[in-house]
């Protein structure tokens, strides 16, 4: 709808045409009801003209859209992101069958995502919603003939309720048991994961040129950035890790540029000795079973490092630097998901002057009621203690 705006000291009507959220045409009119009517008619006719022109190109097929989008993602994002988006697009193509893009409506998107929520979880449905909405926005921006006159059908669907499973963080003692059970390269790699808080792939691609023994620092690369660009981060090379890496550099059987490589210890055809790891699918399962501890993965060691730093008194910005998050808010959410915000709440409740129930009162309540008396009496005692 046109809006009244002051231009050059005069109140005038401005007509605007937006397509896909962008202003593609605008025009100024005079003031008064007649000029407002002219502005309304101009907007209607101009929108029809532009939409017809944009839709004069043949509408691409869903498959062509998916392929073009995923090819662009492959150039810009990491393998994990590509795999996630490919999965969402594959499910969409299986559902849509021979239908066209014009048949992907908010109603269609709702049924697709509801099915994901029912068969998998609300988390999975929301993840697909995010990826498909991004793909739709990309198509409207870059593909000729892509439907432009409608809203993004996936964003029209509200997010589903989520139930997140708490992340398991191993006990520090369990990690040391696993480290004790490991030998050679495996022991050095596990220690490196702990003392750098690295993500799994970051150590897989670590090279000796990234280890600066003279300055006691180590460099990690990540694509966990806003635009998918590679970013390098230097971290302190702690003494224990420095000694372990120096030993491994001298003793390693394959003198390659990568720090950690496949060894001649697996019959798998995908296991090439001397080549960098691509995955270590059963490594931690085997190590935890050998150490007789509850199973945890390589990424859980990163969580453990965050917990250790937090409990040692490290500040938020210091933990952020070790985890190499771009924003402190990301680190804060990370710690919260690990349950560490409860420690702060507990500390706040137990500070001097806090209104907490005195231990003698709780002891008296236990003795009098033997934990089976009147709850009303205990509540009154607690309220009385809080007021006092």
């Amino acid at each position: 709808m046109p809006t009244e705006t002051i231009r050059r000291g005069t109140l005038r009507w401005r007509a605007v045409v937006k397509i896909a959220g962008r202003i593609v045409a605008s025009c100024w009119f005079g003031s008064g009801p007649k000029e407002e009517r002219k502005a309304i008619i101009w907007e209607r006719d101009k929108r029809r003209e532009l939409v017809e022109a944009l839709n004069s190109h043949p509408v691409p097929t869903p498959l062509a859209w998916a392929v073009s989008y995923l090819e662009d993602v492959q150039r810009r994002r990491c393998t994990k992101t590509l795999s996630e988006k490919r999965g969402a697009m594959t499910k969409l193509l299986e559902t849509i069958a021979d239908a066209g893009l014009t048949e992907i409506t908010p109603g269609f998107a709702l049924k697709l995502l509801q099915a994901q929520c029912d068969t998998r979880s609300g988390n999975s449905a929301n993840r697909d919603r995010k990826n498909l909405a991004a793909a739709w926005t990309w198509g409207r921006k870059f593909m000729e003939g892509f439907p432009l006159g409608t809203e993004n059908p996936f964003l029209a669907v509200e997010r589903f309720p989520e139930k997140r499973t708490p992340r398991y963080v191993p006990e520090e003692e369990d990690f040391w048991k696993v480290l004790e059970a490991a030998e050679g390269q495996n022991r050095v790699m596990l220690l490196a994961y702990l003392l750098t808080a690295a993500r799994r792939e970051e150590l897989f691609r670590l090279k000796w040129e990234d280890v600066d023994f003279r300055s006691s620092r180590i460099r990690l690369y990540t694509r966990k950035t806003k635009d998918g660009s590679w970013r390098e981060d230097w971290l302190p090379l702690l003494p224990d890790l420095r000694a372990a890496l120096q030993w491994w550099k001298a003793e390693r059987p394959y003198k390659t540029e990568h720090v950690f490589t496949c060894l001649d210890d697996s019959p798998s055809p995908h296991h090439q000795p001397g080549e960098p790891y691509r995955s270590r699918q059963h490594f931690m399962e085997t190590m935890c079973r050998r150490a007789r501890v509850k199973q945890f993965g390589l990424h859980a060691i990163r969580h453990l490092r965050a917990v250790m730093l937090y409990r040692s008194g490290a500040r938020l910005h210091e933990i952020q630097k070790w985890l190499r998050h771009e924003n402190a808010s990301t680190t804060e959410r990370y710690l919260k998901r690990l349950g560490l915000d409860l420690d702060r709440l507990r500390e706040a409740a137990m500070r001097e002057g806090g209104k907490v129930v005195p231990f003698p009162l709780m002891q008296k309540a236990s003795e009098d009621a033997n934990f089976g008396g009147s709850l009303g009496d205990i509540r009154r005692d607690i309220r009385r203690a809080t007021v006092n």
Side-chain angles (χ1 to χ4, degrees):
M1 292 292 293
T3 56
E4 276 191 302
T5 306
I6 295 177
R7 187 190 189 200
R8 297 176 183 174
T10 304
L11 191 63
R12 305 178 67 180
W13 287 101
R14 186 191 184 207
V16 171
V17 176
K18 286 185 177 182
I19 295 180
R22 294 179 296 170
I23 296 177
V24 294
S26 64
C27 186
W28 288 93
F29 294 84
S31 59
K34 291 184 178 180
E35 293 297 309
E36 179 186 11
R37 179 61 181 167
K38 290 181 181 178
I40 292 173
I41 295 173
W42 183 90
E43 278 189 356
R44 182 196 62 195
D45 295 343
K46 194 66 175 179
R47 176 182 296 278
R48 184 184 298 126
E49 174 189 339
L50 292 172
V51 169
E52 289 176 355
L54 290 168
N55 290 335
S56 61
H57 298 279
V59 178
T61 64
L63 178 61
W65 163 51
V67 170
S68 298
Y69 175 63
L70 292 175
E71 285 177 348
D72 189 58
V73 171
Q74 186 174 19
R75 295 183 179 95
R76 300 172 183 274
R77 302 294 178 181
C78 63
T79 305
K80 182 179 178 181
T81 301
L82 174 63
S83 177
E84 182 181 296
K85 291 181 178 293
R86 183 190 291 120
M89 297 299 287
T90 300
K91 288 190 284 287
L92 172 65
L93 293 176
E94 289 173 350
T95 304
I96 199 172
D98 297 328
L101 289 177
T102 55
E103 297 181 50
I104 301 180
T105 62
F108 173 89
L110 177 62
K111 290 181 181 178
L112 173 69
L113 296 174
Q114 283 177 337
Q116 294 301 320
C117 181
D118 294 342
T119 57
R120 298 164 71 197
S121 66
N123 302 21
S124 299
N126 289 336
R127 193 181 306 117
D128 283 357
R129 172 183 176 273
K130 175 193 70 175
N131 289 319
L132 293 173
W136 190 271
T137 300
W138 183 91
R140 290 202 300 193
K141 186 181 293 185
F142 298 110
M143 295 193 73
E144 292 186 353
F146 201 90
L148 295 173
T150 59
E151 63 177 336
N152 190 317
F154 301 101
L155 290 181
V157 180
E158 294 183 358
R159 289 175 58 85
F160 294 87
E162 296 185 356
K163 182 180 180 181
R164 293 190 175 274
T165 304
R167 293 178 173 178
Y168 172 66
V169 181
E171 296 292 335
E172 188 175 345
E173 182 181 353
D174 286 354
F175 172 80
W176 295 122
K177 287 180 180 178
V178 171
L179 189 69
E180 183 66 26
E183 298 176 349
Q185 174 179 247
N186 291 340
R187 178 176 291 188
V188 179
M189 177 179 275
L190 287 170
L191 188 63
Y193 275 114
L194 180 71
L195 298 184
T196 63
R199 301 175 180 91
R200 185 184 60 175
E201 293 82 1
E202 291 170 351
L203 287 192
F204 287 176
R205 55 176 170 262
L206 183 69
K207 298 181 179 180
W208 288 111
E209 65 184 22
D210 300 321
V211 183
D212 186 351
F213 290 110
R214 177 173 297 181
S215 301
S216 292
R217 59 180 188 163
I218 187 170
R219 177 172 56 190
L220 299 177
Y221 287 92
T222 183
R223 292 186 72 176
K224 297 277 285 188
T225 54
K226 188 174 182 180
D227 61 355
S229 300
W230 286 101
R231 189 190 76 224
E232 65 175 43
D233 297 297
W234 284 100
L235 292 173
L237 182 59
L238 300 181
D240 289 343
L241 181 56
R242 187 176 189 274
L245 287 172
Q246 285 178 325
W247 173 83
W248 177 242
K249 186 174 185 180
E251 299 295 329
R252 70 193 196 278
Y254 299 100
K255 309 299 183 182
T256 66
E257 62 177 350
H258 286 89
V259 176
F260 302 112
T261 60
C262 299
L263 303 180
D264 189 13
D265 58 359
S266 174
S268 171
H270 304 292
H271 189 93
Q272 300 296 328
E275 293 295 318
Y277 286 104
R278 296 182 181 275
S279 67
R280 302 204 69 179
Q281 188 172 1
H282 303 292
F283 169 60
M284 288 305 297
E285 179 184 354
T286 302
M287 295 306 303
C288 291
R289 184 171 61 249
R290 185 179 301 172
R292 297 182 179 180
V293 300
K294 183 177 178 180
Q295 184 178 337
F296 59 91
L298 290 173
H299 200 73
I301 301 175
R302 177 174 166 88
H303 301 162
L304 174 60
R305 183 59 175 163
V307 171
M308 293 169 64
L309 289 168
Y310 180 89
R311 291 179 176 166
S312 68
R315 297 179 179 179
L316 181 64
H317 73 275
E318 294 169 333
I319 300 176
Q320 176 192 352
K321 289 184 181 298
W322 274 107
L323 299 180
R324 290 166 294 112
H325 291 150
E326 288 189 313
N327 300 308
S329 59
T330 304
T331 307
E332 192 171 8
R333 290 195 302 271
Y334 195 93
L335 296 177
K336 185 176 181 180
R337 288 195 63 187
L338 295 178
L340 296 178
D341 57 328
L342 297 179
D343 289 351
R344 294 292 189 215
L345 292 175
R346 189 177 299 111
E347 290 174 9
M350 298 304 295
R351 289 192 192 107
E352 185 176 358
K355 295 181 179 180
V356 295
V357 181
F359 176 74
L361 176 63
M362 291 299 294
Q363 188 177 30
K364 181 178 183 301
S366 174
E367 292 171 353
D368 292 345
N370 195 25
F371 291 101
S374 170
L375 288 176
D377 294 339
I378 298 176
R379 288 174 182 152
R380 280 195 298 274
D381 289 343
I382 291 175
R383 282 198 294 270
R384 189 181 301 114
T386 303
V387 170
N388 294 337

